[in-house]
Amino acid sequence: YSQELIFLVSMAVVIAMLARVTNDLGEDARRKILFAAVIIFVFRSTPLVGEGYTWFSIDELGFDEAFYGTLAQIGAGLAMAGTWLLADTITRRPIASTLLLLTILYTALSLPTIGLAYRIDLWTEELFGFGARTIALINTAAESPFAQLSMIPMLTLIAIHAPPARRATWFALMASLMNLALVAGQLQTKYLNWIFEVNRGHYADIPALVITAITIGFVVPLTVILLFGRRAT
């Protein structure tokens, strides 16, 4: 449990230092920061499918390194464009409503991944003439503009509530907290891959793994947003 111990110790240190840094803020501001940080942390800590799906897409869907490079370039470019175009709108909306919208969008845009896990590409290729690569390209183009938008509410929160004398420390601690959220997501991904074991050439559990990861990524953030959203506004 070395990874889990490091995560828990790091989390305890960051939380303790955040509590110390925010001592100068009012009680209402500290409460809003707490609930907003919890919502963003949970949103960013949802699990991914893991490397098993990558193996599946290479062995079964026929993807290769060149195609993955194309997807990465498209995703990076559209993510930058989406951040540039939507940043002003996002900063003017409450954190809870922004992340609620992103949760719903991410879940809807994950449906093609579920379809590919069930080899819907064989059906589309037979009836419409396009297969897995076209589906992946369309899905990347639709999903990428929203990829970095979840960071904007966090950066807005940091900017608004930064203590005047401790801005650098405040920013570093909040960035550490968001990095720990990603670590939590990686740990959950590891646990899911223990439950749904996927090995090279053995992909029977891929559909269940994909559906479970997407369901957790929808239900858990949605529950936290509904519980704490108004308190974070």
Side-chain angles (χ1 to χ4, degrees), residues 20-233:
R20 183 181 179 88
V21 168
T22 56
N23 276 338
D24 298 338
L25 299 178
E27 189 65 27
D28 185 60
R30 294 183 71 186
R31 189 180 299 109
K32 288 179 180 179
I33 291 172
L34 169 64
F35 288 119
V38 167
I39 291 172
I40 298 172
F41 183 91
V42 171
F43 180 85
R44 287 176 59 82
S45 66
T46 52
L48 301 175
V49 177
E51 293 300 320
Y53 187 83
T54 303
W55 300 337
F56 168 78
S57 63
I58 293 171
D59 294 341
E60 300 294 326
L61 302 181
F63 296 175
D64 54 24
E65 292 181 355
F67 182 68
Y68 271 117
T70 301
L71 290 179
Q73 291 176 14
I74 293 173
L78 292 178
M80 291 175 63
T83 303
W84 178 269
L85 294 173
L86 299 175
D88 186 63
T89 302
I90 294 296
T91 56
R92 298 176 188 277
R93 295 180 59 85
I95 290 174
S97 63
T98 298
L99 295 185
L100 177 62
L101 177 61
L102 290 177
T103 299
I104 295 171
L105 282 173
Y106 285 156
T107 303
L109 295 172
S110 297
L111 294 179
T113 304
I114 298 175
L116 289 176
Y118 282 104
R119 297 309 310 274
I120 195 176
D121 56 293
L122 300 176
W123 176 73
T124 58
E125 191 164 14
E126 181 179 350
L127 291 182
F128 305 108
F130 64 87
R133 293 198 174 202
T134 303
I135 294 173
L137 282 170
I138 294 172
N139 188 46
T140 299
E143 189 178 56
S144 296
F146 308 103
Q148 302 298 327
L149 293 184
S150 63
M151 279 301 295
I152 295 175
M154 188 72 243
L155 296 174
T156 305
L157 181 73
I158 293 171
I160 291 174
H161 296 292
R166 301 170 181 169
R167 288 192 178 96
T169 304
W170 167 255
F171 183 85
L173 288 173
M174 294 301 285
S176 298
L177 184 66
M178 293 304 102
N179 287 333
L180 285 173
L182 298 180
V183 174
Q186 293 170 1
L187 290 174
Q188 294 178 76
T189 301
K190 179 179 73 172
Y191 301 147
L192 283 181
N193 281 268
W194 282 351
I195 298 171
F196 303 102
E197 189 171 351
V198 177
N199 295 311
R200 195 72 184 263
H202 300 280
Y203 304 118
D205 287 339
I206 279 288
L209 174 61
V210 170
I211 290 174
T212 303
I214 292 173
T215 301
I216 293 173
F218 176 71
V219 173
V220 175
L222 181 65
T223 302
V224 173
I225 290 169
L226 294 177
L227 286 175
F228 302 132
R230 290 190 177 182
R231 301 180 187 181
T233 302

